Amino acid sequence: MLKIENLSVHYGMIQAVRDVSFEVNEGEIVSLIGANGAGKTTILRTISGLIQPSKGTISFEGEAIQKRPPRKIVEKGISQVPEGRHVFPGLTVQENLEMGAYLRKEKDLASEYETVFQKFPILKERVKQDASTLSGGEQQMLAMGRALMSKPRLLLLDEPSMGLAPIFIKEIFTIIQEIQKQGTTVLLIEQNAKMALTIANRGYVLETGNVVLQGTGQELLASDEVKKAYLGG
Ligand code: ATP
């Protein structure tokens, strides 16, 4: 479904991603794990068209998308939930969800709200509340709901567990699995390697802009290198 080949990304003179190749097959959850600064966010932002790569190709269902603007990439069926949620303060929960649906037809919206509210009942309870007054976990749910409003076929999640209490982390990961079961493919970036690999079909480990290990979620969880570097021994 998504194929990244020899991707390099620079910020001026700084190279953040070095010759990275990986793929995501339809129906999978694929996790990218790695320490701070390994280049994970840069890869997601490049897939979404927010940064131009200096080298390499990104193809989605056989079509090269690396020169496409972000709007076209959303139209193709890829949505991103950014690190830190970035819900729109001053807008209600409903208005935030609406922002995620700007490419959808008006007549499809009612059923889309229902789908999102089924997954995140708390959002229905808070539908008129200013998004900035939601808790961190609720804001993460809103950011995920907003991305789902465009009915993506591939959902990109950047550190959904960051800063959340353990109970919310568990809930968010359960919801990610439900999203997969309902037919959306997921590319997940996480510092919480244990959770991310537990739910992943496959994973890749990034270090300073390079893919250094890959395997199924279970293989990576069992790997000595992963245990030592990311699972606390
Ligand atoms: P984190 O989990 O901390 O977000 P990450 O793996 O997502 O880390 P990136 O945010 O992709 O890593 O950063 C990769 C490298 O690129 C880092 O060395 C970072 O300092 C650098 N970098 C990121 N954004 C910029 C920018 N706008 N300008 C310059 N350098 C940047």
Side-chain angles (χ1 to χ4, degrees), residues 29 115-121 144 148 155 170-186 199:
I29 295 178
T115 312
V116 167
F117 291 148
Q118 249 169 17
K119 250 178 225 95
F120 306 106
M144 289 169 72
L148 290 172
L155 184 66
K170 238 177 125 208
E171 195 173 346
I172 292 285
F173 277 91
T174 304
I175 293 168
I176 297 170
Q177 288 177 296
E178 273 170 30
I179 290 171
Q180 175 194 32
K181 280 199 196 102
Q182 287 163 6
T184 306
T185 306
V186 177
I199 67 164

Side-chain angles (χ1 to χ4, degrees), residues 164-216:
L164 300 187
I167 182 154
F168 267 128
I169 295 181
K170 238 177 125 208
E171 195 173 346
I172 292 285
F173 277 91
T174 304
I175 293 168
I176 297 170
Q177 288 177 296
E178 273 170 30
I179 290 171
Q180 175 194 32
K181 280 199 196 102
Q182 287 163 6
T184 306
T185 306
V186 177
L187 176 59
L188 169 67
I189 283 184
E190 261 298 338
Q191 289 204 33
N192 187 334
K194 183 148 192 265
M195 293 291 271
L197 293 175
T198 301
I199 67 164
N201 299 95
R202 295 185 307 107
Y204 296 86
V205 181
L206 274 178
E207 270 173 24
T208 55
N210 280 300
V211 171
V212 294
L213 269 179
Q214 55 180 291
T216 65

Side-chain angles (χ1 to χ4, degrees), residues 11 32 34 36 39-46 48 50 79-86 140 143-144 147 155-163 172-173 176 186-192:
Y11 295 105
L32 294 185
N36 279 325
K40 305 180 299 297
T41 297
T42 302
I43 291 174
L44 273 208
R45 290 176 58 81
T46 309
S48 291
L50 299 166
S79 285
Q80 183 177 344
V81 182
E83 182 176 339
R85 353 283 188 217
H86 296 280
Q140 181 61 44
M144 289 169 72
L155 184 66
L156 311 176
L157 294 171
D158 194 347
E159 306 263 4
S161 79
M162 199 206 283
I172 292 285
F173 277 91
I176 297 170
V186 177
L187 176 59
L188 169 67
I189 283 184
E190 261 298 338
Q191 289 204 33
N192 187 334

